[in-house]
Amino acid sequence: MPDEKEFIALLNRHQKILYKVCNLYMDQHADREDLFQEITLQAWKAYGNFRGDAKFSTWLYRVALNTAITFFRKEKRQPDIYATDQVPDNHKDTYDPIEEQVKAMYAAIGNLSKSDKAIVMLYLEDYDYREIGEMMGITANHVAVKMNRIKTRLKEETQKNEANYNYQTRWN
Amino acid sequence: MELDELKSLINQKLTTADAGRSGNDIAQILTRRTGSVIDKLKRSLWIEIFSCIGAILLFAYFGFAGGNHAYHIYFSVFAVLTAIFLVIVIYLLKRTQQLSATALPVKSNLQTIVHIIESFMKRYFQFTMGMIPACFVFALLLIYQDHGSIPDAGTIFGAYFKTTGQMFLFLIGYVTLLAAGIYYFTRWYLKRLYGRYVEQLKQCILELEEQD
C-alpha cells in the first residue's frame, strides 16, 4: 500500500504541473477542477508502481498528460477554444504589445490538438526532443518534425490574432 | 513573435490562473471516485462479473436440478457460455487494472485504452449475438423432446397454426426479426456508450503517427 502522506507531500510540491496541464486543456473553471481531481486520483492509483527511476515531476507529467488527453467532458460547457476576445482583458485602454502577443500565443496554443498541446507543454518545460519522444511514445525525429510544424502554425495564428486585435482596437 | 521568445511568459500564464491547494484538499480528493471512461468501464466489468457469477449459479442449479434431459442440457449450455464470457471479462478487468497502475507513454496508453474498449465491445456483442441461436436451438430441442410435459405448447401452437410448416415459418420469421432487432440495438447501444470516445482516441493516435 503506497504511503498516502508521502504522495500528498510530493503532489503538493509539484501541483504547478497539474495547474499547467489543467489550464492548457480546459478553458472553464469547473472543467479545470474536474480534470485536477481526475489527474490527482489517477496519479494516486499509479503511485504504487512509481519506482523512482524517473523524476517524480517527469512521472507526474506523464500521468497528467495521459489523463488530460483521454479526459472528455460529456457535454461541453462552452466551445473548447481560446479566442483572443474570450481572454479577460482588464486593461483595454493601456495597450501592452508583449501582453497582447502572449495572449495571442496562448490563444493559438489553445487551438492546437490534444497531442500537439502535450508536445508544446513539454517543450515549454525545457524537456529535449528525446525526452518528449519517450513521454509521448514517438521518436525524437518525429517530435522535431512536429515541433517545427507547431511553431510555424503558432506564429501564423499569433500574427492573425494580433492583426484582429489591432483592427478591433483601431475601430473601437 | 515566436514561441521560444514568449516561453517564460506563457509558462507564467499557465500557472497563475488557480490558487494552490493544501494537503488536506488533496487528501479529500483521494477519497472521491474517478470519472474517467476506463474507470467507468472497470465498474461495468465488475457488475458483469457479479452478474455472470449469479447467472452461472442459477443456470447450474437449473441444469442439475432440472427434471428432464432437455432442461439439463439447456441450462448447462448457458452456464458454460456465461462461464466463457466471465473468463473474458476477468481478463479485460485485469488489463484495465494494469493500465491504471502504470504510467505508459501517451501513444501506448491511447492504444491500450482503445484495444481494451474495442475488445469489450466485440466480446459483449459476440456474447449477445451468440445467445440468440443458442436460445432458439435449445428452446426447439426442449419443445421437441418434451412437448408432452409442456401441456400448453400443443394447445398454443394448435390454436394458431394448421400445419407444422406454418409454425416453423412463423418461428423462423420471429427469430430473424428478434436477431435483427438485438443486432442493431446492441450495436447502437455500444456505439452510444463508447463509440464517440473511441473515435476521439483513435484521432489522437492518428495525429501522433502523422508524419510528412
Side-chain angles (χ1 to χ4, degrees):
Chain A
M1 188 72 188
D3 186 345
E4 192 178 306
K5 276 187 185 162
E6 185 189 80
F7 173 76
I8 291 171
L10 273 170
L11 199 76
N12 218 351
R13 230 179 298 148
H14 293 88
Q15 53 177 302
K16 274 196 171 183
I17 291 174
L18 270 62
Y19 290 133
K20 278 188 185 178
V21 174
C22 294
N23 285 328
L24 190 70
Y25 280 90
M26 297 292 157
D27 54 340
Q28 294 291 299
H29 178 73
D31 293 330
R32 286 201 293 268
E33 290 288 310
D34 288 348
L35 183 57
F36 187 95
Q37 180 179 312
E38 195 58 42
I39 295 171
T40 306
L41 285 166
Q42 295 300 338
W44 171 235
K45 278 202 277 179
Y47 184 63
N49 278 8
F50 172 63
R51 303 254 176 263
D53 310 335
K55 278 198 290 184
F56 182 78
S57 57
T58 306
W59 175 84
L60 189 59
Y61 257 117
R62 201 180 265 203
V63 174
L65 290 173
N66 273 337
T67 310
I69 288 174
T70 55
F71 186 81
F72 290 97
R73 289 176 309 232
K74 222 171 181 190
E75 274 174 33
K76 286 189 175 181
R77 292 181 172 97
Q78 262 193 3
D80 195 3
I81 51 164
Y82 291 61
T84 36
D85 53 4
Q86 282 181 351
V87 178
D89 191 354
N90 302 322
H91 309 285
K92 277 224 161 167
D93 43 345
T94 53
Y95 177 74
D96 178 356
I98 298 290
E99 177 62 21
E100 292 317 316
Q101 277 167 350
V102 171
K103 274 185 199 167
M105 182 63 79
Y106 195 72
I109 294 171
N111 282 334
L112 292 174
S113 69
K114 283 186 164 190
S115 57
D116 284 352
K117 274 184 193 173
I119 292 171
V120 168
M121 160 122 283
L122 297 169
Y123 181 78
L124 288 172
E125 281 296 302
D126 286 328
Y127 284 104
D128 61 36
Y129 289 163
R130 185 189 53 82
E131 289 169 315
I132 297 174
E134 275 172 16
M135 281 198 240
M136 298 300 294
I138 55 179
T139 63
N141 275 347
H142 195 169
V143 176
V145 171
K146 277 191 158 288
M147 206 54 227
N148 265 338
R149 237 185 283 160
I150 292 168
K151 278 184 185 174
T152 312
R153 193 184 152 187
L154 288 178
K155 195 177 175 185
E156 283 168 7
E157 280 212 31
T158 307
Q159 281 165 350
K160 214 163 57 184
N161 286 340
E162 275 185 84
N164 277 344
Y165 179 82
N166 289 337
Y167 179 82
Q168 278 170 13
T169 45
R170 189 181 296 173
W171 293 103
N172 285 337
Chain B
M1 252 194 189
E2 303 249 1
L3 179 68
D4 296 287
E5 295 168 78
L6 300 170
K7 224 173 178 179
S8 63
L9 291 168
I10 294 280
N11 253 331
Q12 208 182 335
K13 198 171 170 63
L14 279 170
T15 45
T16 48
D18 290 273
R21 279 173 177 81
S22 67
N24 283 342
D25 294 336
I26 295 171
Q28 212 173 20
I29 289 176
L30 298 186
T31 60
R32 293 183 198 152
R33 230 159 79 145
T34 69
S36 76
V37 173
I38 210 75
D39 284 293
K40 283 179 188 162
L41 180 71
K42 214 188 287 175
R43 287 196 280 273
S44 299
L45 290 171
W46 272 116
I47 295 170
E48 302 276 353
I49 287 173
F50 286 121
S51 309
C52 280
I53 292 171
I56 290 169
L57 290 174
L58 213 67
F59 289 146
Y61 171 76
F62 286 118
F64 287 110
N68 54 54
H69 189 58
Y71 268 128
H72 188 78
I73 296 173
Y74 188 79
F75 287 108
S76 302
V77 165
F78 281 122
V80 170
L81 281 177
T82 315
I84 294 168
F85 186 63
L86 178 67
V87 172
I88 295 165
V89 172
I90 290 172
Y91 164 75
L92 288 174
L93 181 74
K94 225 177 153 188
R95 290 284 312 266
T96 55
Q97 278 170 337
Q98 277 170 353
L99 180 71
S100 303
T102 46
L104 290 170
V106 171
K107 194 175 147 191
S108 313
N109 186 61
L110 288 167
Q111 285 168 330
T112 313
I113 294 175
V114 168
H115 178 73
I116 289 172
I117 297 177
E118 283 189 335
S119 299
F120 175 73
M121 287 165 74
K122 197 173 151 191
R123 302 298 172 209
Y124 189 92
F125 185 75
Q126 283 173 345
F127 179 71
T128 312
M129 295 314 290
M131 279 298 201
I132 300 168
C135 281
F136 183 60
V137 168
F138 286 111
L140 278 183
L141 191 75
L142 192 74
I143 292 170
Y144 180 75
Q145 274 206 333
D146 294 308
H147 61 276
S149 61
I150 309 172
D152 288 339
T155 324
I156 294 166
F157 286 116
Y160 292 100
F161 307 105
K162 287 186 176 70
T163 61
T164 319
Q166 268 184 347
M167 187 191 75
F168 271 106
L169 210 64
F170 166 78
L171 284 176
I172 289 166
Y174 172 76
V175 171
T176 309
L177 275 178
L178 182 77
I182 290 175
Y183 174 85
Y184 286 108
F185 174 78
T186 314
R187 275 184 63 154
W188 168 82
Y189 177 70
L190 289 171
K191 209 173 171 185
R192 193 173 178 274
L193 276 184
Y194 302 110
R196 198 167 153 253
Y197 184 67
V198 169
E199 284 311 310
Q200 284 169 324
L201 296 185
K202 279 184 175 171
Q203 184 56 40
C204 285
I205 297 171
L206 269 180
E207 279 166 17
L208 279 170
E209 284 170 347
E210 187 180 86
Q211 205 168 7
D212 282 339

